[in-house]
Amino acid sequence: METGNYSAVTEFFLVGLFRYPELQLSLLMFCLIMYLIILLGNSLLIIIIILDYRLHTPMYFFLGNLSFLDICYTSSFIPPMLIIFMSERKSISFFGCALQMVVSLGLGCTECVLLAVMAYDRYVAICNPLRYPIIMNRVLYVQMAAWSWIIGCLNSLVQTVLTMVLPFCGNNIIDHLTCEILALLKLICSDISMNVFIMTVASIVLLVIPLLLIFVSYMFILSSILRINSAEGRKKAFSTCSAHLTVVILFYGSALFMYMKPKSKDTKTSDEIIGLSYGVVTPMLNPIIYSLRNKEVKESVKKILSRHFHLLKP
């Protein structure tokens, strides 16, 4: 097909679960409530980490990055999705779609790397406790967090550019809730083998390899915990990892289902529901999990609240 036969695409129409009008009000309220909880929970966690000097450690620095990432990630697609829910014209501009894709994909990839970095931090803390302050010094953990962001954003930028420069041949109906890269690739009418290859490599490098590193780290952690003589010591060591391990299971469980499952098992509705869980429920649960399972966070909350109420007393 010649280039002159392509009609320019200036906007995309999002259908996805919007094809079910009877669900729109329920989905609108669900997304709005979840988004408010995400903003409140993650913002409070960041504020607590900043205010309490006892939490100025590598683990909480990474946790603060994770909370900030979750706020940015959900803000990239939930507000536009809510606007589309309330509007009759279920569309998003071409550049708006590209921006949404580059931000959401970049932050999703960043979280994969960041979770692996957090697992390494727990490995050093439990397996090499005496050398922990030396190994996980400020320069190293700041660089590790920075490279997590850089790697994720570079991958997203490359994949987004390679997707959006291809011809859509006038096909602008996205069968998804958001501008998700897999849904967009289905609209392209030229060869996408390069895109598929790069996406496969990126999935292995940024999804599978970090997961393997997390698995190996926890094998060493488990081995070290089992060598601790006292039951109280084993319980304390495991409690420092349980919150991170729970978040890893939630995040990678949905991510692996979305991006690594066989084509034969692909169903549109299940993809969208899992995608919504991947994008909304996990960021909402992160601060709750870390607050409920972390003694230091709970003590910091009590300290800040008691100080606040003390100042309010006449």
Side-chain angles (χ1 to χ4, degrees), residues 125-177:
I126 292 174
C127 299
N128 296 282
L130 297 179
R131 297 184 61 203
Y132 179 73
I134 300 172
I135 296 174
M136 293 300 295
N137 57 76
R138 183 176 178 82
V139 174
L140 178 64
Y141 70 72
V142 170
Q143 287 181 348
M144 291 172 76
W147 276 109
S148 299
W149 286 87
I150 292 169
I151 291 170
C153 293
L154 282 177
N155 168 67
S156 170
L157 186 61
V158 169
Q159 290 204 51
T160 301
V161 170
L162 290 177
T163 299
M164 303 308 281
V165 297
L166 293 175
F168 291 93
C169 306
N171 191 1
N172 64 344
I173 299 177
I174 300 175
D175 197 4
H176 205 273
L177 282 168

XYZ file of all heavy atoms in Angstrom, residues 125-177:
420
model
N 20.479 -6.307 53.819
C 20.124 -6.019 55.209
C 20.073 -7.284 56.052
O 20.468 -7.265 57.231
C 18.775 -5.306 55.266
N 19.613 -8.393 55.475
C 19.449 -9.622 56.250
C 20.662 -10.542 56.142
O 21.082 -11.150 57.131
C 18.165 -10.360 55.799
C 16.940 -9.530 56.196
C 18.082 -11.758 56.418
C 15.635 -10.060 55.685
N 21.245 -10.627 54.956
C 22.378 -11.548 54.756
C 23.721 -10.928 55.137
O 24.674 -11.653 55.451
C 22.417 -12.025 53.304
S 20.930 -12.931 52.813
N 23.822 -9.598 55.082
C 25.066 -8.909 55.457
C 24.754 -7.712 56.362
O 25.051 -6.564 56.021
C 25.821 -8.421 54.217
C 26.275 -9.563 53.338
O 27.261 -10.242 53.624
N 25.554 -9.782 52.243
N 24.133 -7.962 57.522
C 23.671 -6.849 58.370
C 24.787 -5.924 58.862
O 24.582 -4.715 58.976
C 22.980 -7.556 59.542
C 23.559 -8.939 59.555
C 23.848 -9.267 58.136
N 25.970 -6.489 59.146
C 27.061 -5.660 59.671
C 27.640 -4.743 58.593
O 28.126 -3.645 58.899
C 28.168 -6.560 60.245
C 27.755 -7.422 61.436
C 28.921 -8.292 61.893
C 27.248 -6.561 62.593
N 27.589 -5.186 57.351
C 28.142 -4.383 56.252
C 27.068 -3.552 55.547
O 27.376 -2.827 54.609
C 28.816 -5.309 55.227
C 30.005 -6.096 55.780
C 30.658 -6.890 54.676
N 31.155 -6.009 53.621
C 31.365 -6.406 52.369
N 31.114 -7.642 52.010
N 31.819 -5.549 51.470
N 25.814 -3.671 56.008
C 24.703 -2.987 55.335
C 24.915 -1.478 55.188
O 24.744 -0.933 54.096
C 23.399 -3.272 56.079
C 22.186 -2.591 55.477
C 21.633 -3.028 54.277
C 21.601 -1.490 56.107
C 20.531 -2.404 53.727
C 20.496 -0.868 55.565
C 19.965 -1.322 54.374
O 18.885 -0.693 53.822
N 25.317 -0.747 56.258
C 25.506 0.712 56.103
C 26.609 1.070 55.113
O 26.554 2.134 54.482
C 25.866 1.175 57.520
C 25.389 0.096 58.428
C 25.549 -1.172 57.652
N 27.598 0.183 54.980
C 28.704 0.455 54.057
C 28.291 0.171 52.617
O 28.544 0.968 51.705
C 29.938 -0.395 54.439
C 30.394 -0.057 55.861
C 31.074 -0.179 53.441
C 31.470 -0.982 56.390
N 27.635 -0.998 52.417
C 27.237 -1.386 51.054
C 26.142 -0.462 50.534
O 26.251 0.105 49.445
C 26.760 -2.851 51.029
C 27.905 -3.791 51.401
C 26.221 -3.205 49.635
C 27.488 -5.244 51.548
N 25.077 -0.313 51.319
C 23.943 0.515 50.882
C 24.135 1.953 51.354
O 23.334 2.502 52.111
C 22.630 -0.063 51.411
C 22.258 -1.403 50.818
S 22.059 -1.376 49.017
C 20.653 -0.292 48.846
N 25.216 2.571 50.885
C 25.452 3.975 51.234
C 24.556 4.876 50.397
O 23.941 4.437 49.417
C 26.926 4.332 51.032
C 27.384 4.071 49.609
O 27.079 4.832 48.692
N 28.120 2.972 49.404
N 24.508 6.146 50.779
C 23.578 7.077 50.144
C 23.818 7.216 48.641
O 22.866 7.238 47.850
C 23.668 8.452 50.813
C 22.687 9.459 50.251
C 22.729 10.779 51.005
N 21.806 11.742 50.427
C 20.506 11.788 50.677
N 19.966 10.901 51.490
N 19.741 12.703 50.118
N 25.081 7.274 48.241
C 25.389 7.418 46.812
C 24.857 6.232 46.025
O 24.236 6.394 44.965
C 26.917 7.552 46.597
C 27.253 7.545 45.111
C 27.432 8.823 47.245
N 25.053 5.015 46.560
C 24.630 3.823 45.840
C 23.119 3.741 45.721
O 22.583 3.524 44.621
C 25.156 2.563 46.537
C 24.727 1.245 45.884
C 25.286 1.120 44.483
C 25.153 0.051 46.737
N 22.386 3.922 46.834
C 20.940 3.722 46.737
C 20.241 4.835 45.958
O 19.219 4.595 45.319
C 20.297 3.460 48.105
C 20.224 4.587 49.105
C 19.349 5.656 48.946
C 20.984 4.550 50.273
C 19.246 6.656 49.885
C 20.889 5.538 51.233
C 20.016 6.596 51.036
O 19.908 7.590 51.983
N 20.800 6.035 45.959
C 20.240 7.100 45.109
C 20.478 6.780 43.635
O 19.581 6.949 42.800
C 20.845 8.470 45.483
C 20.461 9.525 44.440
C 20.368 8.912 46.856
N 21.671 6.285 43.315
C 21.971 5.905 41.931
C 21.102 4.738 41.473
O 20.641 4.717 40.323
C 23.450 5.547 41.795
C 24.391 6.734 41.845
C 25.843 6.330 41.676
O 26.187 5.151 41.746
N 26.711 7.309 41.462
N 20.864 3.778 42.345
C 20.025 2.629 41.998
C 18.598 3.069 41.681
O 17.990 2.605 40.711
C 20.036 1.608 43.141
C 21.366 0.916 43.324
S 21.434 -0.103 44.822
C 20.472 -1.518 44.319
N 18.074 3.973 42.490
C 16.729 4.486 42.234
C 16.689 5.290 40.936
O 15.758 5.153 40.128
C 16.264 5.348 43.405
N 17.721 6.131 40.719
C 17.770 6.957 39.504
C 17.835 6.098 38.252
O 17.131 6.359 37.262
C 18.978 7.894 39.564
N 18.656 5.041 38.276
C 18.765 4.164 37.111
C 17.483 3.380 36.864
O 17.157 3.062 35.709
C 19.956 3.217 37.263
C 21.246 3.840 36.838
C 22.293 4.227 37.635
C 21.620 4.184 35.494
N 23.281 4.797 36.885
C 22.915 4.782 35.566
C 21.002 4.067 34.244
C 23.578 5.233 34.431
C 21.668 4.525 33.116
C 22.936 5.094 33.215
N 16.735 3.098 37.915
C 15.431 2.444 37.737
C 14.504 3.324 36.898
O 13.846 2.853 35.968
C 14.795 2.155 39.097
O 15.590 1.287 39.865
N 14.483 4.619 37.229
C 13.660 5.572 36.482
C 14.181 5.745 35.052
O 13.392 5.760 34.095
C 13.653 6.924 37.194
C 12.825 6.955 38.437
C 13.220 6.610 39.695
C 11.444 7.336 38.554
N 12.182 6.760 40.588
C 11.091 7.204 39.918
C 10.493 7.782 37.644
C 9.808 7.509 40.377
C 9.221 8.097 38.109
C 8.892 7.951 39.458
N 15.492 5.870 34.897
C 16.079 6.109 33.576
C 15.816 4.927 32.637
O 15.400 5.107 31.488
C 17.590 6.382 33.700
C 17.834 7.717 34.396
C 18.258 6.390 32.321
C 19.285 7.951 34.795
N 16.054 3.708 33.116
C 15.875 2.516 32.285
C 14.414 2.366 31.864
O 14.106 2.120 30.693
C 16.355 1.262 33.042
C 17.874 1.289 33.197
C 15.939 -0.012 32.307
C 18.405 0.227 34.137
N 13.505 2.532 32.818
C 12.088 2.397 32.505
C 11.603 3.435 31.508
O 10.875 3.112 30.559
N 12.025 4.677 31.692
C 11.577 5.761 30.810
C 12.182 5.653 29.413
O 11.505 5.932 28.412
C 11.906 7.111 31.432
S 10.956 7.458 32.939
N 13.448 5.240 29.318
C 14.075 5.071 28.000
C 13.398 3.964 27.209
O 13.123 4.110 26.010
C 15.565 4.762 28.160
C 16.490 5.948 28.468
C 17.920 5.466 28.665
C 16.427 6.996 27.356
N 13.116 2.853 27.864
C 12.419 1.756 27.192
C 11.053 2.198 26.692
O 10.659 1.896 25.557
C 12.266 0.576 28.157
C 11.315 -0.479 27.623
O 11.581 -1.159 26.629
N 10.178 -0.622 28.283
N 10.329 2.915 27.544
C 9.000 3.398 27.165
C 9.063 4.361 25.987
O 8.249 4.285 25.056
C 8.354 4.093 28.367
O 7.182 4.755 27.993
N 10.026 5.275 26.007
C 10.163 6.253 24.930
C 10.439 5.566 23.593
O 9.831 5.895 22.569
C 11.281 7.233 25.269
C 11.468 8.425 24.322
C 10.214 9.286 24.299
C 12.678 9.255 24.737
N 11.342 4.588 23.611
C 11.688 3.863 22.377
C 10.471 3.121 21.836
O 10.145 3.215 20.641
C 12.851 2.880 22.639
C 13.045 1.938 21.451
C 14.147 3.638 22.916
N 9.775 2.383 22.704
C 8.628 1.594 22.244
C 7.480 2.479 21.767
O 6.812 2.164 20.776
C 8.151 0.675 23.367
C 9.107 -0.452 23.692
C 8.394 -1.628 24.329
O 7.400 -2.118 23.816
N 8.915 -2.096 25.453
N 7.262 3.598 22.446
C 6.177 4.502 22.044
C 6.463 5.141 20.689
O 5.590 5.192 19.814
C 5.968 5.591 23.110
O 5.644 4.986 24.356
C 4.841 6.528 22.701
N 7.682 5.635 20.502
C 8.052 6.266 19.229
C 7.941 5.270 18.089
O 7.380 5.576 17.022
C 9.475 6.859 19.314
C 9.950 7.301 17.934
C 9.511 8.036 20.275
N 8.459 4.062 18.283
C 8.416 3.041 17.228
C 6.987 2.616 16.890
O 6.710 2.173 15.776
C 9.227 1.810 17.654
C 10.744 1.988 17.713
C 11.412 0.710 18.212
C 11.305 2.374 16.342
N 6.084 2.762 17.847
C 4.678 2.426 17.599
C 3.942 3.563 16.905
O 3.237 3.354 15.911
C 3.969 2.086 18.926
O 4.599 0.961 19.530
C 2.492 1.763 18.691
N 4.117 4.782 17.398
C 3.323 5.902 16.895
C 3.761 6.400 15.516
O 3.002 7.124 14.862
C 3.366 7.068 17.901
C 2.873 6.705 19.299
S 1.244 5.909 19.341
C 0.169 7.329 19.137
N 4.961 6.047 15.059
C 5.392 6.468 13.720
C 4.861 5.542 12.645
O 4.934 5.866 11.444
C 6.940 6.543 13.616
C 7.482 7.586 14.561
C 7.585 5.189 13.860
N 4.300 4.404 13.016
C 3.774 3.458 12.030
C 2.392 3.892 11.560
O 1.670 4.585 12.280
C 3.713 2.056 12.634
C 5.062 1.413 12.955
C 4.852 0.076 13.662
C 5.893 1.212 11.690
N 1.991 3.489 10.349
C 0.690 3.894 9.810
C -0.468 3.122 10.426
O -0.399 1.902 10.581
C 0.818 3.569 8.313
C 1.798 2.456 8.259
C 2.790 2.712 9.363
N -1.525 3.867 10.802
C -2.724 3.243 11.341
C -3.802 3.054 10.280
O -4.830 2.451 10.542
C -3.274 4.092 12.504
C -2.403 4.065 13.725
C -1.427 5.035 13.914
C -2.550 3.076 14.676
C -0.611 5.010 15.039
C -1.737 3.045 15.799
C -0.766 4.020 15.983
N -3.577 3.589 9.097
C -4.483 3.401 7.958
C -5.922 3.803 8.277
O -6.881 3.183 7.809
C -4.451 1.954 7.479
S -2.808 1.348 7.098
N -6.098 4.811 9.108
C -7.442 5.282 9.429
C -8.138 4.483 10.508
O -9.226 4.844 10.948
N -7.523 3.389 10.945
C -8.123 2.560 11.990
C -7.800 3.176 13.344
O -6.665 3.123 13.810
C -7.563 1.139 11.893
C -8.329 0.165 12.778
O -9.279 0.536 13.451
N -7.911 -1.091 12.768
N -8.784 3.774 13.997
C -8.525 4.513 15.234
C -9.441 4.117 16.391
O -9.673 4.897 17.297
C -8.631 6.017 14.981
C -10.043 6.422 14.566
O -10.859 5.581 14.191
N -10.325 7.718 14.629
N -9.943 2.889 16.365
C -10.791 2.404 17.450
C -9.976 1.443 18.313
O -9.608 0.352 17.864
C -12.055 1.701 16.905
C -12.890 2.683 16.088
C -12.880 1.139 18.072
C -14.115 2.070 15.454
N -9.668 1.873 19.545
C -8.876 1.063 20.467
C -9.818 0.268 21.362
O -10.621 0.842 22.097
C -7.966 1.955 21.338
C -7.012 2.761 20.455
C -7.175 1.113 22.336
C -6.157 3.748 21.222
N -9.709 -1.044 21.273
C -10.566 -1.909 22.080
C -9.967 -2.107 23.461
O -9.591 -3.205 23.864
C -10.751 -3.251 21.362
C -11.937 -4.032 21.928
O -12.625 -3.488 22.806
O -12.152 -5.177 21.491
N -9.858 -0.987 24.184
C -9.259 -1.020 25.523
C -9.685 0.220 26.282
O -10.193 1.183 25.681
C -7.731 -1.085 25.423
C -7.083 -1.701 26.626
N -6.737 -0.972 27.740
C -6.710 -2.973 26.886
C -6.184 -1.773 28.632
N -6.157 -2.997 28.146
N -9.473 0.221 27.598
C -9.839 1.373 28.423
C -8.876 2.535 28.263
O -9.250 3.682 28.443
C -9.886 0.957 29.899
C -11.118 0.177 30.369
C -10.865 -0.405 31.740
C -12.344 1.061 30.385
